[in-house]
């Protein structure tokens, strides 16, 4: 009778490196790397995330360069790591320390390896867009975060290298076994390869891609990392422990035999990510290690970003069906304005009943203020209760807070200037920013009185507040070009009674446009009954 394999272990395993020895494969690759490096003057850029694949690639390159004579180390190797500022804190600390260790070791060993920690511009950060501008939490159909947080910083760096040297070679830890889509993309570019192993980059002109471990499996990567010492002095065993701690069942990857299941499904990323149903890695870290329980407030805040504000049966959702729980509900509709960022009302037709409803826009002021208070409260709690090495954690930077304050007051005309009070309430400290009193149209007391006069009509209050803010902005200008357009825009955004009234008006306007196409003599105001 055959003894069944433990849960999670496949019945058939490919031999590591297709049966070849680790030394044979490593020697072959380091020789190839040396040949490519010395073949031209084009600088290299290595993408480093701190994960297993990028660590293996950097380790191969480092080992290859270390054996070259000094006179052949004639071009830089940039190691870039993009910190989105909302990375898993454990991984972010790991990467930051690794880059510092790397820089010191490269100098001591006389290698042209230059680490760089890249961050998004303040205007592109996660919290400036979500809390400041009111962008809804990212969804598969509105994935605004990846471009701003990850792609732009790295592409900007690479473009600067290309501008300075005319060309760049990107060295990446991409592997065909990661996914079928990745394999198809890599095979497509293989057909256009130049200089043996270099593929063209579809997104960045004058840059080529070199992927030395493209044919490795998960187990190959771990066997290499566990058996070959890290050349810049970091402990690969700690990397293994971090992956092991991020697996819900505590599995660890194959090291030297076939009796240990692989934990290649562990993925690290932004702790705020709402593109996945659950942050499994952070959940596992908290469950597997009592010392990481301080991350619980982060997990709770992330889950709230992705939790329903009302019922799951959202009757305004295009996929709504009575009594049916939606597979991908839109949980934040109650927290969002029925107008788009520019104040316009756009319509879409629900597939469930054919009814036209408004496309919801940014988060409302109340919810943005709540997000900020909860974020600062979580940061304050962690600084008081977490282990010493994370006591100075910044979940949101002061630069981001200053930009959010500017957006609220000057772009969104929320002239109450509530951010300093929220900061004081959540942290117990005064906000380290100067007063905006001289630039505000009214003080907090006057704005509260205005709100009372509007008698609960938030749309009316927002419109009057914006009109006052626009007037204040143009008051000191020598030329007031654009004043009347700004006032008109403020009125147009605020003359609705609510969602249904806005939809009704948009429908009448749409009908008028259809009619005027056949009868150009129609008058807009009389035929769509626009408010004065």
């Amino acid at each position: 009778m055959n003894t069944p394999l433990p849960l999670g272990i496949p019945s058939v395993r490919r031999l590591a490196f297709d049966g070849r020895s680790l030394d044979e494969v490593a020697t072959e690759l380091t020789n190839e790397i040396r040949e490519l490096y010395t073949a031209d003057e084009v600088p290299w850029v290595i993408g480093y995330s701190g994960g297993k694949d990028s660590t293996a690639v950097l380790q191969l390159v480092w080992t290859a360069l270390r054996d070259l004579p000094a006179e052949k180390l004639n071009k830089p190797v940039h190691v870039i790591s993009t910190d989105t500022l909302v990375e898993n804190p454990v991984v972010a600390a790991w990467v930051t320390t690794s880059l510092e260790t790397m820089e010191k070791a490269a100098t001591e060993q006389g290698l042209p390896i230059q680490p760089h920690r890249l961050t998004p511009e303040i205007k592109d950060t996660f919290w400036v867009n979500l809390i400041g501008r009111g962008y809804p939490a990212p969804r598969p159909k509105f994935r605004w975060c990846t471009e701003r947080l990850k792609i732009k910083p790295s592409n900007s760096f690479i473009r600067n290298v290309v501008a300075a040297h005319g060309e760049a070679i990107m060295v990446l830890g991409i592997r065909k076994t990661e996914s079928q889509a990745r394999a198809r993309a890599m095979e497509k570019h293989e057909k256009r390869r130049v200089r043996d192993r270099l593929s063209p980059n579809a997104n960045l002109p004058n840059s080529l891609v070199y992927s030395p471990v493209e044919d490795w499996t998960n187990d190959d990567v771990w066997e290499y990392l566990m058996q070959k010492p890290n050349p810049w002095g970091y402990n690969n065993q700690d990397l293994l422990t971090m992956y092991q701690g991020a697996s819900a069942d505590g599995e660890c990857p194959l090291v030297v035999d076939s009796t240990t299941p692989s934990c290649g499904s562990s993925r690290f990323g932004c702790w705020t990510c709402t593109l996945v149903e659950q942050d499994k890695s952070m959940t596992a870290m908290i469950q597997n290690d009592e010392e990481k329980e301080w991350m619980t407030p982060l997990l709770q805040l992330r889950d709230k970003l992705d939790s329903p504000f009302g019922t799951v049966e959202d009757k305004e959702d295009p996929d709504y069906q009575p009594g049916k729980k939606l597979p991908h509900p839109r949980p934040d509709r109650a927290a969002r304005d029925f107008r788009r960022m520019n104040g316009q009302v756009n319509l879409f037709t629900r597939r469930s009943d054919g009814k036209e409803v408004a496309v919801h826009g940014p988060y409302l002021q109340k919810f943005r203020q709540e997000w900020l208070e909860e974020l600062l409260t979580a940061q304050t709690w962690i600084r008081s209760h977490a282990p010493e090495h994370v006591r100075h954690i910044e979940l949101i930077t002061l630069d981001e807070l200053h930009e959010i304050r500017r957006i609220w007051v000057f772009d969104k005309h929320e002239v109450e200037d509530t951010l300093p009070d929220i900061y004081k309430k959540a942290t117990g400290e005064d906000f380290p920013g100067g007063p905006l009193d001289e630039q505000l149209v009214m003080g907090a007391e006057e704005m509260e009185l205005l709100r009372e006069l509007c008698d609960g009509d938030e749309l009316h209050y927002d419109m009057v507040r914006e009109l006052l803010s626009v007037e204040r902005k143009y008051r000191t200008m020598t030329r007031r070009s654009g004043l009347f357009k700004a006032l008109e825009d403020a009125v147009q955004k605020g003359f609705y009674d609510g969602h249904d009234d806005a939809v009704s008006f948009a429908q009448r306007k749409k009908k008028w446009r259809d009619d005027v196409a056949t009868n150009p003599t129609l008058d807009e105001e009389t035929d769509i009954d626009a408010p004065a």
Side-chain angles (χ1 to χ4, degrees):
M1 178 177 178
N2 294 329
T3 303
L5 289 170
L7 183 66
I9 300 180
S11 58
V12 179
R13 275 184 176 269
R14 182 183 75 86
L15 292 174
F17 301 106
D18 280 327
R20 302 170 66 196
S21 71
L22 170 61
D23 288 338
E24 180 184 357
V25 173
T27 299
E28 181 180 292
L29 270 179
T30 51
N31 287 335
E32 177 181 276
I33 290 169
R34 280 191 285 268
E35 289 178 11
L36 287 171
Y37 177 83
T38 57
D40 51 46
E41 302 296 320
V42 181
W44 283 17
V45 179
I46 301 179
Y48 177 71
S49 67
K52 64 184 189 308
D53 298 331
S54 60
T55 298
V57 166
L58 179 56
Q59 191 165 310
L60 284 166
V61 173
W62 193 297
T63 303
L65 298 189
R66 192 173 54 185
D67 294 336
L68 282 174
E71 62 271 15
K72 291 191 175 182
L73 298 173
N74 54 5
K75 66 181 184 183
V77 175
H78 301 285
V79 179
I80 62 173
S81 179
T82 302
D83 184 351
T84 64
L85 302 180
V86 283
E87 296 290 328
N88 180 305
V90 172
V91 180
W94 165 274
V95 173
T96 299
T97 306
S98 180
L99 292 174
E100 294 169 353
T101 306
M102 197 184 301
E103 184 175 24
K104 182 179 178 181
T107 301
E108 292 174 349
Q109 298 176 32
L111 298 177
I113 296 175
Q114 304 171 15
H116 305 270
R117 175 178 171 269
L118 310 180
T119 57
E121 295 183 49
I122 292 300
K123 67 181 180 65
D124 289 330
T125 67
F126 184 85
W127 296 121
V128 164
N129 282 284
L130 187 137
I131 293 178
R133 295 188 175 90
Y135 281 19
R139 294 288 183 268
K141 292 185 178 180
F142 187 41
R143 193 170 181 163
W144 55 264
C145 52
T146 307
E147 172 72 21
R148 290 172 171 83
L149 305 185
K150 290 181 174 292
I151 297 175
K152 285 177 68 174
S154 57
N155 283 5
S156 177
F157 182 93
I158 294 167
R159 287 192 180 98
N160 288 337
V161 172
V162 171
H165 300 276
E167 198 173 9
I169 294 175
M170 299 170 59
V171 187
L172 305 177
I174 52 177
R175 297 182 294 110
K176 294 177 182 177
T177 58
E178 289 182 86
S179 68
Q180 292 182 353
R182 173 61 60 84
R184 286 194 297 269
M186 294 177 68
E187 288 167 0
K188 174 184 175 182
H189 291 304
E190 278 181 13
K191 299 175 182 178
R192 301 166 55 202
R193 275 185 168 169
V194 297
R195 306 183 202 170
D196 299 325
R197 290 287 301 276
L198 306 183
S199 302
N201 187 316
N203 300 316
L204 291 169
N206 296 338
S207 62
L208 299 169
V209 175
Y210 174 43
S211 46
V213 298
E214 60 183 23
D215 294 318
W216 286 18
T217 66
N218 233 23
D219 295 339
D220 294 339
V221 174
W222 281 116
E223 180 170 343
Y224 173 75
L225 291 176
M226 291 300 101
Q227 296 199 34
K228 297 295 181 180
N230 186 295
W232 60 90
Y234 228 42
N235 191 342
N236 287 343
Q237 184 66 42
D238 292 340
L239 178 64
L240 166 62
T241 302
M242 186 167 67
Y243 268 82
Q244 184 176 355
S247 297
D249 51 9
E251 292 181 345
C252 54
L254 174 71
V255 181
V256 292
D257 57 57
S258 60
T259 61
T260 311
S262 174
C263 71
S265 59
S266 297
R267 306 289 291 186
F268 302 117
C270 302
W271 67 267
T272 57
C273 184
T274 51
L275 294 170
V276 293
E277 292 184 5
Q278 181 187 15
D279 189 334
K280 294 181 180 179
S281 63
M282 181 177 284
T283 301
M285 283 182 176
I286 294 171
Q287 292 174 346
N288 294 337
D289 188 349
E290 291 184 358
E291 291 187 359
K292 293 186 174 64
E293 288 183 355
W294 60 268
M295 291 195 295
T296 301
L298 304 187
L299 192 60
Q300 292 172 341
L301 186 58
R302 180 263 165 213
D303 289 345
K304 185 169 182 180
L305 274 174
D306 201 29
S307 67
F309 287 78
T311 62
V312 177
E313 292 182 18
D314 189 342
K315 296 184 179 181
E316 292 183 6
D317 193 279
D319 297 319
Y320 169 72
Q321 293 181 24
K324 180 181 178 182
K325 185 175 180 179
L326 300 176
H328 300 289
R330 301 187 179 189
D332 54 6
R333 186 176 300 278
R336 292 166 61 184
D337 200 330
F338 60 80
R339 298 161 297 188
R340 305 305 296 271
M341 195 77 74
N342 59 7
Q344 294 183 355
V345 177
N346 294 347
L347 303 177
F348 74 91
T349 303
R350 287 201 304 230
R351 283 174 287 181
S352 58
D353 58 7
K355 182 180 178 181
E356 286 188 313
V357 294
V359 178
H360 280 58
Y363 285 135
L364 297 166
Q365 180 181 6
K366 170 189 172 184
F367 291 92
R368 286 183 278 109
Q369 291 172 342
E370 288 180 1
W371 291 136
L372 179 59
E373 183 175 343
E374 293 196 26
L375 179 63
L376 289 171
T377 300
Q379 177 176 279
T380 303
W381 186 90
I382 291 172
R383 288 179 173 181
S384 300
H385 296 82
E388 187 63 34
H389 66 280
V390 290
R391 286 287 177 92
H392 301 290
I393 191 171
E394 272 192 326
L395 300 183
I396 182 170
T397 67
L398 281 177
D399 287 340
E400 289 177 287
L401 289 171
H402 287 304
E403 178 63 8
I404 289 170
R405 187 187 188 191
R406 186 198 67 77
I407 291 171
W408 283 6
V409 172
F410 298 113
D411 292 354
K412 291 186 173 293
H413 308 288
E414 295 166 359
V415 294
E416 303 92 342
D417 191 24
T418 56
L419 189 144
D421 290 338
I422 294 172
Y423 186 89
K424 174 76 172 180
K425 180 180 178 182
T427 67
E429 302 174 358
D430 292 330
F431 181 66
L436 297 178
D437 294 346
E438 295 180 359
Q439 304 176 55
L440 298 180
V441 62
M442 285 184 172
E445 293 182 3
E446 289 85 352
M447 297 310 298
E448 186 59 34
L449 179 60
L450 174 61
R451 187 184 294 274
E452 292 178 8
L453 291 172
C454 291
D455 194 25
D457 189 340
E458 287 296 316
L459 288 176
H460 188 198
Y461 170 75
D462 290 346
M463 181 182 70
V464 175
R465 181 182 62 181
E466 183 168 345
L467 288 171
L468 290 169
S469 179
V470 169
E471 189 278 332
R472 175 65 180 83
K473 175 182 177 181
Y474 282 88
R475 182 187 304 170
T476 57
M477 290 185 177
T478 305
R479 296 180 67 255
R480 298 192 178 188
S481 175
L483 170 61
F484 293 115
K485 178 64 167 63
L487 293 173
E488 181 183 359
D489 289 344
V491 172
Q492 286 183 346
K493 283 196 296 183
F495 62 38
Y496 307 112
D497 289 334
H499 172 271
D500 292 342
D501 182 47
V503 169
S504 177
F505 178 76
Q507 289 172 333
R508 295 197 305 272
K509 191 172 184 179
K510 179 182 177 183
K511 182 179 184 302
W512 173 82
R513 285 176 175 166
D514 292 339
D515 291 343
V516 84
T518 57
N519 186 3
T521 62
L522 288 176
D523 177 76
E524 178 175 0
E525 288 195 5
T526 57
D527 284 281
I528 66 172
D529 192 25

